[in-house]
Structure formats: structure tokens, C-alpha cells
Amino acid sequence: MNRIEGRVKVTGLATYAAEYPVEDVTYAFPVQSQIAKGRVRHVDAQDALAMPGVLAVLSGEDPPPLASGADGELALFQSREVAYRGQIVAAVVADTYENARAAAAVVRVDYDSDDHDVSLRADHPGLYKPDHVNPAYPTDSEKGDIEAGLARAASVVDVVYETPVLHNNPMEPHAALACWDDEGGLLVYDTAQGTTLSRDTLAQVFGLPKERVRVVSRHVGGGFGSKGTTRPQAVLAAMAARVVGRPVKIVLTRQQMYDVTGYRTPTIQRLRLGADAEGRLTALEHVVYEQTSTLEEFAEQTATPTRIMYAAPALRTAHRLVRLDVATPSWMRAPGECPGMYALESAMDELAYALGMDPVELRVVNEPETEPDRGLPFSSRNLVGCLREGARRFGWEHRDPTPGVRRDGEWLVGTGVAASTYPARRRPSKARAVVEDDGDFLVQVAAADIGTGARTALTRIAAEALGVAPERVHVELGDSDLPEAPVAGGSMGTASWGSAIVRACEELKSDGKEGLADTTEEVQGDAAFSRHAFGAQFAEVRVSSVTGEVRVPRLLGVFAAGRIVDPKLARSQFIGGMTMGMGMGLMEETLTDEEFGGFLRRDLAQYHVPACADVPDVEAFWLDERDAELNPMASKGIGEIGIVGTAAAIGNAVYHATGHRVRELPITPDKILMPRF
């Protein structure tokens, strides 16, 4: 199917959070901390209040009240303590955006500054073991004797891989427009990946019953996780609107987004792998060091994919966290699996070379019969099929395994492979389906379309469940007043919402007028299986022996992700994920300012993301996989698995081209050329 919302998007008729027409609207602009740690001594708003159009200055001098227990990143102005550079410490509300921004520039904030610490390192004295990692995985896992397994191995790899701070950078900036009614009800147009969760969060922050809050987010211009939870701009808009008694709009600048909308934590990952002469793993250890803030704890589940990938009699994973004077990390596309599989799949490539073994075959011989960590059966697992089909399509059999020997003029040429995985989750959801007066069907669910084509996929699911043409189905989403639904994230949106829609449509067919569904009991009753999508990514790279520049002329991915609901949408998701993975491998990096705190490279002129021209040939294929244990559609999520293995495949290809292993992302020319000097 073509995108149902395609026409309104390309003609500019799709309405995003900052674009809803509201009368008497005002504008807020935040003032951010210029220190990384300390406290606000005084906010002088006198000059700002004297400027044209200024209605109010919000700060900790007279903090607007919020309910107790709000998330530390959302409890604006409730404390004078500064937790990181860029934290919102005041805000100006004015009649125009320009007036608000100009006045914010003259607000004077005096600080008592303390020494700060913003540096993640593996020997940091503040490292600790969190109670769990996102969302609720055990922090550590262990079976067998790692040291004994390494001792009896024919080959051992002991390596450290590092990934930097990464930022989500959706095309649509984070924005909110808040209005209070005469009865004290709150309406917020927000950039949200889940209106139900956003409503619940805002109700908690402002101490309101859920039924008094409505969040609308019908179109979202990308999120990649950064809009998966409520961000400060929504709270600030609602807070300011209550103070001035008029609607308030706020649109964060690109630079402000780097500070207050989340990011992927940097990681330091040590892997120890041992294998016998036939390539079978004897031990696998994966220990991760990462950061969180002093405000809130967020522990990314970086080592969890290692628990399900390969058969090893001795297997240990661990996560250690340190609280630094930084903003709180959050979700970014394929959290956990993305950085964790980069390190694991790079280390597997190193083990293959140490053994003198083909990297594809090494993965095949370590295929487990059941999940290595918990021993659960897989609902379906077709990783070997993805590796074999990918190798066939990529022409892997013609590959000379010797690194650093293929040249095309100044260009060194190499190829690499990596496996990928992502959990196939679903969460409880509600949905409603009714027959309209003209005989068509209306399906309602508080889902979110963040650019993935959710409207189209859900329309197709409903049409199949009803046995009618898709043109007769109209899906309404993006409003918290609709039946409650989980966020668009974790590659579980379509599975969760689609399950509820199928059940609602089934009830409608039985009732004839209306169908209501709540899948809570169904989801809680799911049988105990290890549910995951799998894939294999292959990359060809060309590395300049003169400049160190890396080009990627070809990417190929083959995936096993259950039944594919719509091929056009699926291909878009897969190639989008692989393109983003290329950015992770070669370009993307947010530098931390060690001296002053906060982040450097705070816009798209400095933080580089890939364009279409950077990947001339990117192909995505999938195996025909039907998994009846998953959901009524037999589908698995596909939004994130495309990114998971790509950076490792590219890094492995760079080693094959050059004979030089880069273990710190991104792989930039200086790191390529460094061994020569």
C-alpha cells in the first residue's frame, strides 16, 4: 500500500505539534544553565520583563507548583540545584517567539558553581551495579565457569570496544502547545511517540486526574526514541500557560534538543571470547560501563543481546553505571541491542580471524537450540537462514579472507558481515472498531505514527480482519482520548496495536455495530518463549589509502521478522535502519565538553548524519517466516533491527580492507591513518 497520509504530508496539510491553530497564543523560550554543577543563587528578570511583549519570567525565584514526585528532568524550577550544563533554569513567555527569545537572552542568572565530572571511564570510582537495566532486565547474568572456558580455548579474544554519545536528531524538533480550559482541564499538542503515556505523565506532574488531561499528536516527524517519554518542553508549555492564562507554544531549537531530549549513553565494553579449534565457543563474557545523570537513573541494556545470540557453556554479562554531571540518557533506536551487538559482532569477527575461520561459518556453528541465558525455546529463530541467504545474495563465496590485499587504485576494498537481533515484544492495548453511517469502518486506537507508516499498516491489518478493501477502513490515532495504547517504540507498536485491532474487528463482525478490545489478559497469558527477530547485514567498503576516507558502496540485509504486514513499508524501515547504522559506524558522535560540561557538536552542521548519496546501493530482503506464538498477525517488529548489525558489518569490512581494527566509533579518517604515523 501507499502511505495513507502521504498526500497530506507532501502537500503540507499534515499538522504537527507546533502548527495547530490556537487563538491568543503566546510563546515560551527557555534559559539554560551555563554551569555543569552547582546551584542557582539568583535569577534577575528585571531587564527581561521590561522588554516588549514579555508576559512572564518563570524560574526558581517563584516556582510554579508541580506535584511531588515528578521525574527529575521534568520538575522544572522546583530546585535550585544544577545537575548539568544546558538544564532549563528559567523561561520567558512573550507575545511572539522573537520577543521571547530576545528577552531570554537578557535574563541574568547567578550561580554558585561546583567542580563537575562528566567523564565516563571503566575505572571510575563511582561505578555501581543498578537494580535492573532498561526496561526490567536483570543487570547481570552468569552460567558456567568463564575462566575455565577461556583456559581450554584454542583461541581467545580479549578486546574493548567504545561507542560515543549519540543523539536522535528527528527532523521535527521537540515542540508543545498547551491550553487550559475554564474547568482546569489541560490540552497539550505534543511531539509524542505515545499519547497515552504522555497524558499519564502530565497528569502526574500537575497532580490532575487522567481524564482532565488530553494529549494530541496526530503526526510526528520522527523520534527514534527521543519522543518516547514526555520531555521538558511539554511541561514548560503547560506550566507557562497556567501562569499567563493563555495558550503557550514552545519549539526547541536544534541546539536545545541536544541538551534536554535524551541521547544514547556512551559505552565502554569489554568482551572475552574463547573457542575450540572447530570454532565452538567455550566462554563468552560481555561487561559494559555506561553513564547516567544525578537526577534520574537510566541503565541501557547493552549486554542483553549477548544472552540470546550464541551457544556457550560459560556465559556472563554485566552492566555497571556511574552518575555523572550530565543530562539523563534515554532511548535511541534499538537501545541496548544497537551498541551491544556492535561490540559483540565485532569481537566475533576478531575471533573468526584468530581461528582462521569464515565469519559466517563461525556464527553458524554457534547456533543455539534454545535461548542460551534462560533455556527457553525460541518461538522462531532463522538467523542461520538470514546468514545463508545474505551470503548468497552478496556473493560472499568469492571473498578472499585475507585482509588488506584488494586495491582499486588508491582505494582499499573490503567486505564484512554481522548478525542482528531485536526482541519481538507486545504490550497490552485497547482498540475500538465501529460501522459508520456510510457502511465504511472506523478503527480507533491511541497509537502513534512517527513516520513509520503506522496508519497504513494498521489499516491493512483491520481490513484483513474485517475481510474488506483497505479503502473502506479509516484509522484514527494520535489522541489520548482514544482507546489506550502503548508507545511507538521497542519495535512493539504494530504488534501491540494490531493485536487489539484484530480483536476489536473480530468482535465487530460478531456484534455487527461495534467492537471493543483490551488485550491485557491475552498478552499476560502469552506462553513462555524467547521471542526475537533476527537478521544478517553485509557491507562493502572502500577506504582511501591517501585520506583515510571510508565509502560504503553497498549494504545488504536479510531479516527474519515474522510475517511482513506490508512489503513497501518494511523495505523503507529496513533500509532506513541500515542507513542510520552506517551513520553510527562512520559519522555520528556528540563530544562531551570536559572543561565546561555539556555537549559539543550541537547541530547538524557538526553532527553528521548520512544522506541517500552516502549509500548508493542498499538492499533489504526477508525470509518468509510465520510465527503463530507472537500475535494474531504473526508479525515481529522491524523498526529497529535494521540498525543493529550495520555498524559492526561496516567496521568488520574496514578491517578486511585495511588490516587495521578500529575499536572506537565512529570510524573516521584519523583513526584509519593513525597506524601509519
Side-chain angles (χ1 to χ4, degrees), residues 27-29 52 54 92-105:
Y27 300 81
F29 196 89
V54 173
V92 173
V93 186
D95 58 347
T96 68
Y97 174 83
E98 292 78 9
N99 284 342
R101 184 166 187 165

Side-chain angles (χ1 to χ4, degrees), residues 150-173:
L150 294 172
R152 69 172 182 268
S155 294
V156 173
V157 168
D158 185 345
V159 289
V160 174
Y161 279 85
E162 298 185 27
T163 61
V165 171
L166 299 174
H167 274 85
N168 309 59
N169 276 305
M171 184 181 295
E172 178 201 19

Side-chain angles (χ1 to χ4, degrees), residues 303-576:
T304 57
T306 299
R307 300 172 187 176
I308 61 98
M309 280 305 295
Y310 300 115
L315 174 64
R316 176 176 181 261
T317 66
H319 301 80
R320 296 297 179 263
L321 201 60
V322 61
R323 291 185 178 273
L324 299 176
D325 303 312
V326 296
T328 308
S330 184
W331 304 333
M332 183 171 173
R333 195 176 197 169
E337 276 70 15
C338 191
M341 286 291 284
Y342 158 70
L344 173 63
E345 290 301 292
S346 299
M348 285 290 286
D349 197 66
E350 296 205 44
L351 182 61
Y353 280 100
L355 289 163
M357 191 171 183
D358 181 84
V360 170
E361 295 307 315
L362 175 63
R363 290 166 172 82
V364 171
V365 301
N366 285 289
E367 176 72 1
E369 294 185 3
T370 59
E371 183 192 288
D373 181 32
R374 297 175 295 171
L376 291 175
F378 289 100
S379 62
S380 60
R381 179 181 169 113
N382 286 306
L383 174 58
V384 172
C386 294
L387 288 164
R388 296 291 192 210
E389 179 65 11
R392 184 187 70 81
R393 290 180 176 272
F394 197 73
W396 189 260
E397 71 275 12
H398 304 301
R399 179 182 190 260
D400 180 346
T402 308
V405 298
R406 284 148 304 282
R407 272 187 175 269
D408 180 9
E410 74 176 66
W411 297 93
L412 300 168
V413 181
T415 53
V417 63
S420 55
T421 187
Y422 203 77
R425 305 184 184 97
R426 65 170 175 164
R427 288 187 178 174
S429 182
K430 299 178 181 179
R432 176 175 180 259
V434 296
V435 181
E436 298 187 286
D437 293 340
D438 60 2
D440 283 355
F441 300 89
L442 174 65
V443 175
Q444 296 175 311
V445 60
D449 193 331
I450 60 174
T452 57
R455 282 181 180 82
T456 309
L458 297 181
T459 297
R460 184 160 185 160
I461 289 169
E464 291 179 357
L466 292 168
V468 300
E471 292 77 15
R472 294 186 59 196
V473 176
H474 309 283
V475 172
E476 186 178 358
L477 50 72
D479 189 330
S480 66
D481 279 359
L482 300 173
E484 295 181 347
V487 300
S491 290
M492 63 185 179
T494 300
S496 303
W497 312 322
S499 295
I501 286 173
V502 168
R503 301 307 181 213
C505 290
E506 289 172 347
E507 184 176 318
L508 172 60
K509 290 171 68 176
S510 175
D511 178 86
K513 294 183 179 180
E514 182 181 51
L516 299 172
D518 182 345
T519 62
T520 300
E521 291 187 7
E522 178 180 333
V523 172
Q524 291 174 346
D526 282 347
F529 283 93
S530 183
R531 296 172 168 86
H532 297 265
F534 292 92
Q537 277 107 321
F538 294 78
E540 177 186 335
V541 303
R542 295 166 63 84
V543 183
S544 171
S545 59
V546 178
T547 67
E549 174 189 355
V550 181
R551 295 183 181 177
V552 183
R554 187 163 57 122
L555 284 176
L556 181 144
V558 177
F559 304 95
R563 173 181 171 247
I564 298 300
V565 173
D566 185 276
K568 184 178 292 187
L569 296 178
R571 181 178 182 275
S572 175
Q573 283 287 281
F574 287 139
I575 66 173

